[in-house]
Amino acid sequence: QVQLVESGGGLVQAGGSLSLSCTASASTFIINAMGWYRQAPGKERELVATISSGGSTNYTDSVKGRFTISRDNAKNTVYLQMNSLKPEDTAVYYCNADHGYYVGGRFFRLGNYWGQGTQVTVSS
């Protein structure tokens, strides 16, 4: 069982910055890919950014150049630095993590977990 605890978020004016963090508790095996997703009112949850255990990153086009995802593997923590925020970034942001183990270079997923969500509101 893995628990994801998020922190950060809040209210900021357009053009401002916020940072999010998420720590995964996993007593056995490893946390592999981690990421951030968001869901605005009336919309489907969408990917914001992901990062592999090796540090490879992926961003949705609308946040490229403004958001930066990073992680500390020793702490099983993923971060999202959000700069130049826009009102359309307003959403509940969710942390996500894959849990499992590697055998022979292949990852075997035991589960995929979500954080409780944290509100980010950008005023115009």
Side-chain angles (χ1 to χ4, degrees):
Q1 188 71 16
V2 174
Q3 287 187 324
L4 302 180
V5 179
E6 302 168 1
S7 62
L11 173 65
V12 67
Q13 289 188 332
S17 298
L18 285 174
S19 62
L20 306 178
S21 65
C22 171
T23 299
S25 63
S27 59
T28 59
F29 303 113
I30 65 168
I31 298 295
N32 195 28
M34 301 184 78
W36 290 96
Y37 292 70
R38 65 187 180 188
Q39 187 167 18
K43 295 187 177 181
E44 293 187 351
R45 190 173 298 187
E46 65 171 354
L47 179 148
V48 176
T50 62
I51 185 167
S52 71
S53 58
S56 297
T57 59
N58 178 55
Y59 296 91
T60 191
D61 286 345
S62 63
V63 308
K64 286 180 180 178
R66 300 188 299 121
F67 290 11
T68 302
I69 189 170
S70 61
R71 67 187 289 170
D72 183 334
N73 287 336
K75 297 180 180 180
N76 278 339
T77 299
V78 64
Y79 306 94
L80 186 68
Q81 177 64 41
M82 303 181 290
N83 299 326
S84 301
L85 282 160
K86 304 175 180 180
E88 50 264 42
D89 293 319
T90 295
V92 177
Y93 283 68
Y94 295 91
C95 175
N96 180 269
D98 272 346
H99 177 237
Y101 58 93
Y102 277 96
V103 174
R106 178 183 173 187
F107 179 72
F108 291 83
R109 179 185 294 167
L110 295 174
N112 182 264
Y113 296 89
W114 293 92
Q116 78 280 7
T118 185
Q119 178 70 46
V120 171
T121 303
V122 184
S123 63
S124 57

